[in-house]
């Protein structure tokens, strides 16, 4: 059986042999351990193909295995000393209004009409299989999105792309993306974790005639240009990643990364406190707070792109009535939830776009807790005596049950009797996507920090993720108009209008903006927050 000991001994063997002469075996082992990052995670990666798998373990792996064309520049987090975060703001003094840096692209430009982006690739970049990066890899990666129609189909839709012919190889190291209409997302999408560039030569070779897009290979392997490669994955136990000595960029401090599957958050906390792991992921808020007195560990809590809300199903009575949905919002005791469930590691959700995203506008929030106003709305809807309904929640998310209990008690004050429907984690998301529950919790984050991207994802009734069954043709039209406008001031007006309308019609029961909390050893530094809410192994080092 694969064990943590065997993984660490295998990973450290080469380094120990090289160092044993000048430093001695003991010092060599210490240095190898220092450069090994051990993560206690809820789950190991279920797959390594962004078209099909965006589970927690998978997105952490993808951040180390792949590079995209561009990335947001980083900046110090204003509220968390020692933490960096993406600089996602609007910058009129910078090209295209964005603080970007090149990854696989060393230069880029957008045509004056906003319809074509051209990327000059770095020369001499090699994949983990030794193949040299070329424009053909970028072209093939986009062709793959069109053919597989997984998450890439949403990306192409957001850009208004209809054909793989819109991606062209202009020269061996130059590629262009051309759109029928201008898009403010043309560069932003390149920074999205869901836009990795694949080694097309390896995947074509691995897949052969029967699997031309390499989907079977990517269940367990990688073919990219990032700083790490897969060592071994044993699902349900551990995953091992190794830093690449031939990576084009700065060499990561951590030579080896071990991701251990530890389903219980209490067990992850215990491993961290005992010094067995460097990071304990996704602890409960109270567990994070307990680290304030720990001599060996601490946590960073930063504003994140996470939002948690209730889908108020507009196709199930009485939630087809906006007044009922408004009343449900007025009965959410957010202050109590934030203090007693989140231990203040969250903020009130007062908009339908994440905190810190350009275009977010909280001015349209009118749902602070108000029992009298809620009763008036119920009366106007003909339900002065209340009604009965069901709230469904995820048994795998430890905060959802206590939130549901608090909300159940609050609703009872207005005569609304709620039964709680505890859904196993394995079937919860299936129930969300079926859109057949009257009320169901949802935790999510739009990975591209853009008001048009976020509102299109959740409130365009043609979107797969419109889980509240919200429908307003005017909102559809506004969202689409904003996605074809590159003027930031004009986009602000458009998405203010979208948010004003959506907030008034209340398809969501707004709950909280949870913080992203990283529990780690005190000697581990380098945490950088990304809007995709994943770790990048290459960011970490020891002090």
């Amino acid at each position: 059986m694969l064990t943590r000991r065997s993984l660490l001994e295998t990973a450290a063997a080469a380094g120990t042999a090289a160092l044993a002469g000048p430093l001695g075996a003991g010092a060599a082992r210490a240095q190898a351990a220092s450069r090994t990052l051990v993560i206690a995670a809820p789950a190991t990666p279920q797959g390594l193909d962004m078209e099909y798998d965006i589970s927690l373990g998978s997105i952490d792996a993808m951040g180390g295995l792949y590079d995209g064309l561009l990335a947001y520049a980083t900046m110090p987090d204003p509220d968390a000393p020692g933490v960096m975060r993406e600089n996602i703001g609007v910058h009129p003094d910078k090209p295209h209004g964005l603080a970007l840096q090149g990854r696989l692209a060393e230069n880029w430009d957008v045509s004056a009409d906003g319809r074509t982006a051209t990327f000059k690739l770095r020369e001499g970049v090699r994949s983990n299989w030794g193949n040299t990066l070329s424009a053909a890899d970028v072209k093939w990666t986009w062709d793959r999105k069109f053919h597989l129609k997984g998450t890439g189909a949403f990306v192409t839709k957001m850009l208004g792309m209809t054909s793989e012919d819109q991606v062209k190889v202009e020269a061996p190291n130059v590629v262009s993306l051309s759109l029928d209409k201008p898009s403010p997302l043309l560069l932003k999408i390149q920074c999205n974790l869901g836009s990795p560039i694949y080694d097309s030569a390896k995947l074509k070779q691995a897949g052969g005639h029967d699997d031309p897009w390499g989907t079977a290979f990517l269940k367990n392997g990688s073919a990219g240009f990032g700083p790490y490669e897969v060592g071994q994955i044993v699902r349900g136990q551990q995953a091992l990643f190794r830093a690449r000595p031939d990576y084009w960029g700065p060499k990561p401090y951590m030579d080896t990364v071990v991701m251990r599957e530890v389903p219980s958050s209490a067990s992850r906390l215990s491993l961290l406190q005992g010094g067995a792991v460097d990071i304990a992921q996704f602890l409960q808020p109270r567990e994070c707070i307990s680290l304030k007195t720990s001599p060996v560990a601490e946590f960073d809590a930063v504003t994140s792109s996470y939002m948690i809300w209730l889908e108020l199903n507009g196709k199930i009575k009485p939630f087809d009535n906006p007044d009922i949905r408004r009343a449900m919002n007025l009965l959410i005791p957010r202050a109590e939830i934030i203090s007693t469930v989140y231990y203040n590691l969250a903020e009130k959700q007062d908009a339908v776009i994440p905190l810190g995203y350009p275009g977010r506008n909280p001015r349209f929030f009118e749902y602070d807790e108000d029992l009298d106003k809620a009763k008036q709305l119920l009366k106007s809807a003909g339900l002065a005596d209340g009604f009965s309904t069901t709230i469904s929640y995820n048994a795998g998310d430890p905060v959802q049950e206590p939130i549901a209990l608090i909300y159940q008690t609050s609703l009872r004050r207005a005569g609304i009797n709620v039964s709680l429907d505890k859904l196993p984690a394995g079937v919860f998301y299936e129930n969300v996507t079926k859109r057949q529950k009257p009320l169901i919790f949802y935790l999510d984050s739009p990975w591209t920090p853009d008001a048009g991207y976020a509102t299109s994802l959740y409130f365009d009734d043609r979107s797969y993720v419109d889980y509240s069954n919200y429908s307003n043709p005017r909102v559809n039209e506004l969202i689409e108009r904003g996605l074809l406008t590159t003027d930031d001031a004009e986009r602000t007006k458009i998405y203010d209008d979208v948010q004003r309308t959506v907030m008034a019609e209340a398809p969501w029961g707004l709950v909280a903006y949870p913080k992203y909390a990283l529990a780690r050893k005190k000697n581990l530094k380098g945490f950088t927050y990304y809007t995709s809410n994943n770790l990048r192994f290459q960011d970490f080092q020891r002090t």
Side-chain angles (χ1 to χ4, degrees), residues 463-484:
S463 170
Y464 180 71
V465 192
D466 175 27
Y467 295 139
S468 63
N469 282 317
Y470 177 71
S471 181
N472 184 321
R474 182 172 176 273
V475 167
N476 290 354
E477 188 274 328
L478 285 169
I479 291 172
E480 189 167 350
R481 191 197 315 167
L483 288 173
L484 298 174

Side-chain angles (χ1 to χ4, degrees), residues 117-154:
T118 304
F119 302 91
K120 167 67 170 60
L121 304 181
R122 297 182 188 276
E123 297 188 12
V125 174
R126 294 187 178 275
S127 77
N128 58 307
W129 295 98
N131 297 315
T132 302
L133 171 70
S134 71
D137 292 307
V138 181
K139 163 68 174 167
W140 186 89
T141 295
W142 281 87
D143 290 353
R144 191 175 192 268
K145 295 180 190 294
F146 280 102
H147 282 266
L148 295 184
K149 296 180 172 61
T151 59
F154 177 76

Side-chain angles (χ1 to χ4, degrees), residues 202-247:
K202 175 60 184 178
L203 290 179
K204 285 189 284 188
Q205 176 268 323
H209 181 270
D210 295 334
D211 185 15
W213 303 106
T215 55
F217 177 83
L218 290 178
K219 290 179 181 177
N220 299 292
S222 65
F225 302 91
Y228 286 85
E229 62 185 346
V230 178
Q232 188 176 22
I233 296 178
V234 179
R235 289 191 176 87
Q237 294 184 42
Q238 298 183 113
L240 172 70
F241 307 92
R242 297 189 181 95
R244 292 178 49 209
D246 59 344
Y247 178 56

Side-chain angles (χ1 to χ4, degrees), residues 111-327:
S111 60
D113 62 6
R115 294 176 49 230
T116 300
T118 304
F119 302 91
K120 167 67 170 60
L121 304 181
R122 297 182 188 276
E123 297 188 12
V125 174
R126 294 187 178 275
S127 77
N128 58 307
W129 295 98
N131 297 315
T132 302
L133 171 70
S134 71
D137 292 307
V138 181
K139 163 68 174 167
W140 186 89
T141 295
W142 281 87
D143 290 353
R144 191 175 192 268
K145 295 180 190 294
F146 280 102
H147 282 266
L148 295 184
K149 296 180 172 61
T151 59
F154 177 76
V155 172
T156 55
K157 171 185 175 293
M158 292 297 294
L159 289 174
M161 298 176 71
T162 57
S163 168
E164 61 194 71
D165 294 335
Q166 291 174 273
V167 183
K168 297 180 180 178
V169 174
E170 306 289 355
N173 272 11
V174 180
V175 65
S176 67
L177 278 72
S178 296
L179 310 178
D180 295 329
K181 298 177 182 179
S183 171
L185 301 180
L186 190 51
L187 295 180
K188 295 177 183 179
I189 285 287
Q190 313 308 323
C191 305
N192 192 302
L193 182 68
S195 297
I197 302 302
Y198 291 106
D199 173 357
S200 60
K202 175 60 184 178
L203 290 179
K204 285 189 284 188
Q205 176 268 323
H209 181 270
D210 295 334
D211 185 15
W213 303 106
T215 55
F217 177 83
L218 290 178
K219 290 179 181 177
N220 299 292
S222 65
F225 302 91
Y228 286 85
E229 62 185 346
V230 178
Q232 188 176 22
I233 296 178
V234 179
R235 289 191 176 87
Q237 294 184 42
Q238 298 183 113
L240 172 70
F241 307 92
R242 297 189 181 95
R244 292 178 49 209
D246 59 344
Y247 178 56
W248 67 267
K251 177 175 170 52
Y253 179 93
M254 297 296 177
D255 293 330
T256 305
V257 178
V258 180
M259 184 183 293
R260 298 179 58 188
E261 180 164 323
V262 185
S264 162
S265 66
S267 296
R268 296 195 294 274
L269 174 64
S270 178
L271 288 168
L272 177 63
Q273 290 176 320
V277 303
D278 298 296
I279 292 174
Q281 286 189 294
F282 301 105
L283 299 185
Q284 295 185 40
R286 60 178 175 80
E287 293 171 334
C288 287
I289 296 298
S290 74
L291 293 175
K292 288 186 175 182
T293 58
S294 171
V296 297
E298 59 190 357
F299 72 96
D300 302 300
V302 299
T303 297
S304 78
S305 61
Y306 279 132
M307 304 181 286
I308 185 168
W309 67 89
L310 277 160
E311 305 281 9
L312 306 179
N313 196 325
K315 289 189 175 180
I316 296 179
K317 290 183 179 296
F319 305 110
D320 57 339
N321 186 330
D323 277 346
I324 297 297
R325 301 197 297 262
R326 295 183 190 110

